[in-house]
Amino acid sequence: MSAVPSDTEHSYLDNASSSSSASSYGSDCSHDDSDYQGMVTSSESKRSLLRLLGMQSRSECGYCGTEDGSRFLALRAIRLTCDDYQTLIDRGWRRAGSLLYLTDHSDACCAYYTIRCHALEHVPSASDRKHLRRIRRHLSAAVDNVLDLLVGGIEAGGLEVRLEAASFTEEKFAVFEKYQVAVHNDEDVSRQGFRRFLCDSPLLFQPLARPVEGLVLPASGLGSYHQCYYVDGRLAAVGVLDILPSCVSSVYLFYDPDFSHLSLGTFSALREIALVQQLHEHLPNLRYYYMGYYIPSCPKMTYKGRWRPADLLDLRTLKWIPIDRCLERIARHPVFCTFDPDVDRLSIVRDSREQVLDIAPAISPELLTPEERCRALERIEVLVDVGGLFGMPRRIASVSGSQLTLISDELEELALQTYVSVGDQLATNVTLSL
């Protein structure tokens, strides 16, 4: 299998445009966050700080090519703890750089299902072993057991694998630029864009409580990393990873097309599954390998289902469901479906693209009862430029959800959308801003 990116979000989310009025209240993507940063105390600086961007529209779907792509709810992570991001991806969110997004499936052109592999239970298939033997043969690697190619920072037959904190280098950018031009026919590649999406991370580095001897993490902590693959001293590929409390999350892979015959996409996935297994020895809660989105309508994204056992996330119940059961439902409802067996009461399906759902799972405030809605507005607090709202000099203040109602019905709706999509615990424990 040829190497493919873990996700292609960065290529089209960058062109997203706001489809809500949130930007008119100061939440446009170019906003200066220094005022909000200055409001927090030293103890609060370790809390996540998320800006509400509202619903955004993709100018073109990166998977099916639909010109009027689907919408997504967006947050800008100024700071994001590893624990909070784990909570978000377990609710269907993903990140591209500092942009956090959750697709609105009420009228999406493609279905986005978060997929994870039970890494501790995974056993390389016959096809995987055949692939490893091909790499061993090509590199003349002196290893008796091909599975040894998946362990540690190997240096064998000209192959070297290094795990390092995510950072920009000209060497990495040169490989990325070459990859974008050859694989995606994208000649509009910049160092700034590369830094923003694949090097700079909003994740706050989370040191371990105590150093662990033999741990493969160079910085001995959770956060964003690059796993770099060198062949005969040349950088051949880079896997962008988030190492979180319960998982290793694959963000992206890019490679030098000169090494496409090695199918480094397959090799990197096997290495990342093995990384989970190694980390689990020291971090017992870390058990899963998250591969981004499984998109049934896009062949280049369905390959993720080959590493078993695997689950897909049900966006209605936020439960993980074995993939085989999910595929049976997807075959009957190809546009979008949830997987809870209580079909009549909880499941949501779309059987045609022309159908628009009244309720978008995981996003719609309509999922709240009137009592839950009132409780949410009482519990949410948002940093707002109250001066700018009335054409006066900037003055940032903390405003409750109930007070947002007095300012604007649209701001109230945005706050409730955010509350529903991130959950009560996260919505009330992080710092939110407009």
Side-chain angles (χ1 to χ4, degrees):
M1 184 186 71
S2 61
V4 294
S6 301
D7 286 301
T8 55
E9 290 90 354
H10 83 283
S11 63
Y12 63 93
L13 287 179
D14 199 26
N15 296 321
S17 60
S18 174
S19 59
S20 74
S21 60
S23 61
S24 64
Y25 297 99
S27 64
D28 61 289
C29 296
S30 62
H31 197 292
D32 180 6
D33 299 295
S34 58
D35 288 338
Y36 299 115
Q37 294 275 24
M39 281 196 64
V40 298
T41 65
S42 58
S43 61
E44 291 175 323
S45 66
K46 296 181 180 179
R47 294 176 59 182
S48 297
L49 173 57
L50 307 177
R51 284 184 47 221
L52 284 58
L53 301 181
M55 296 299 290
Q56 310 286 315
S57 297
R58 297 183 177 99
S59 57
E60 179 179 340
C61 178
Y63 299 114
C64 69
T66 301
E67 291 187 3
D68 184 14
S70 56
R71 303 187 309 161
F72 59 94
L73 184 62
L75 299 168
R76 178 72 68 192
I78 312 306
R79 294 188 309 272
L80 184 60
T81 69
C82 293
D83 286 319
D84 287 343
Y85 187 45
Q86 181 72 63
T87 298
L88 286 170
I89 62 174
D90 283 334
R91 299 181 68 91
W93 290 82
R94 294 291 290 175
R95 79 171 184 91
S98 63
L99 182 67
L100 304 171
Y101 57 96
L102 179 62
T103 294
D104 174 4
H105 280 101
S106 65
D107 65 348
C109 54
C110 295
Y112 297 68
Y113 302 111
T114 302
I115 183 171
R116 73 178 186 183
C117 169
H118 293 246
L120 304 187
E121 302 169 36
H122 172 77
V123 177
S125 65
S127 175
D128 293 332
R129 290 173 181 269
K130 180 179 179 180
H131 174 71
L132 293 173
R133 287 195 296 272
R134 186 166 70 248
I135 287 184
R136 179 178 64 180
R137 184 169 58 252
H138 177 84
L139 298 174
S140 300
V143 292
D144 296 327
N145 187 341
V146 291
L147 297 183
D148 290 341
L149 292 171
L150 304 179
V151 180
I154 57 172
E155 295 185 39
L159 174 65
E160 181 181 1
V161 182
R162 304 177 193 166
L163 183 65
E164 60 187 46
S167 63
F168 174 90
T169 68
E170 286 293 337
E171 182 182 36
K172 293 174 185 176
F173 174 71
V175 172
F176 175 73
E177 183 176 34
K178 192 174 181 180
Y179 167 82
Q180 288 296 108
V181 171
V183 177
H184 294 295
N185 196 29
D186 178 13
E187 298 187 358
D188 185 21
V189 183
S190 69
R191 287 171 175 79
Q192 180 183 8
F194 175 61
R195 283 181 185 271
R196 185 169 68 249
F197 282 105
L198 298 177
C199 300
D200 297 340
S201 170
L203 290 182
L204 296 174
F205 177 71
Q206 183 175 323
L208 302 181
R210 55 184 176 82
V212 179
E213 184 177 353
L215 189 63
V216 296
L217 296 182
S220 294
L222 307 180
S224 297
Y225 287 85
H226 286 170
Q227 185 146 267
C228 302
Y229 300 82
Y230 293 85
V231 176
D232 295 327
R234 286 179 59 190
L235 181 62
V238 177
V240 183
L241 307 175
D242 290 331
I243 299 180
L244 303 173
S246 300
C247 73
V248 170
S249 174
S250 179
V251 179
Y252 201 75
L253 173 81
F254 58 93
Y255 61 89
D256 187 329
D258 291 347
F259 297 98
S260 59
H261 59 285
L262 294 178
S263 296
L264 291 173
T266 297
F267 183 58
S268 67
L270 293 172
R271 284 280 312 190
E272 289 161 11
I273 291 172
L275 177 60
V276 175
Q277 296 167 349
Q278 296 169 60
L279 291 171
H280 175 73
E281 295 179 8
H282 307 286
L283 304 170
N285 291 332
L286 204 159
R287 308 174 61 88
Y288 301 102
Y289 174 50
Y290 284 47
M291 296 171 278
Y293 288 130
Y294 179 89
I295 301 178
S297 60
C298 181
K300 69 181 180 181
M301 302 300 281
T302 56
Y303 76 97
K304 300 175 182 184
R306 63 184 281 192
W307 290 291
R308 305 291 182 93
D311 302 321
L312 299 184
L313 180 67
D314 185 307
L315 282 175
R316 181 65 181 89
T317 63
L318 301 178
K319 296 178 181 178
W320 292 97
I321 310 296
I323 190 170
D324 288 332
R325 190 195 308 173
C326 298
L327 294 179
E328 293 174 2
R329 291 272 294 160
I330 291 172
R332 296 197 297 270
H333 307 287
V335 179
F336 176 76
C337 63
T338 55
F339 310 118
D340 192 276
D342 191 354
V343 176
D344 294 334
R345 187 170 64 87
L346 291 177
S347 288
I348 298 173
V349 300
R350 284 180 68 216
D351 292 330
S352 71
R353 286 192 176 183
E354 290 70 30
Q355 180 184 7
V356 178
L357 299 176
D358 294 331
I359 295 179
I363 289 180
S364 296
E366 289 80 0
L367 293 168
L368 298 172
T369 65
E371 294 77 13
E372 290 171 335
R373 187 182 181 97
C374 291
R375 180 174 180 268
L377 290 173
E378 290 173 356
R379 290 173 59 78
I380 295 175
E381 289 194 0
V382 183
L383 298 180
V384 178
D385 175 14
V386 293
L389 289 175
F390 302 103
M392 301 171 65
R394 289 180 63 81
R395 186 170 72 85
I396 308 300
S398 181
V399 175
S400 70
S402 301
Q403 292 171 317
L404 286 177
T405 305
L406 301 176
I407 298 173
S408 163
D409 291 340
E410 293 166 327
L411 286 183
E412 176 189 337
E413 186 74 5
L414 176 58
L416 288 171
Q417 274 186 329
T418 303
Y419 179 89
V420 169
S421 63
V422 305
D424 177 82
Q425 182 175 358
L426 193 143
T428 54
N429 287 334
V430 304
T431 301
L432 300 174
S433 72
L434 286 173

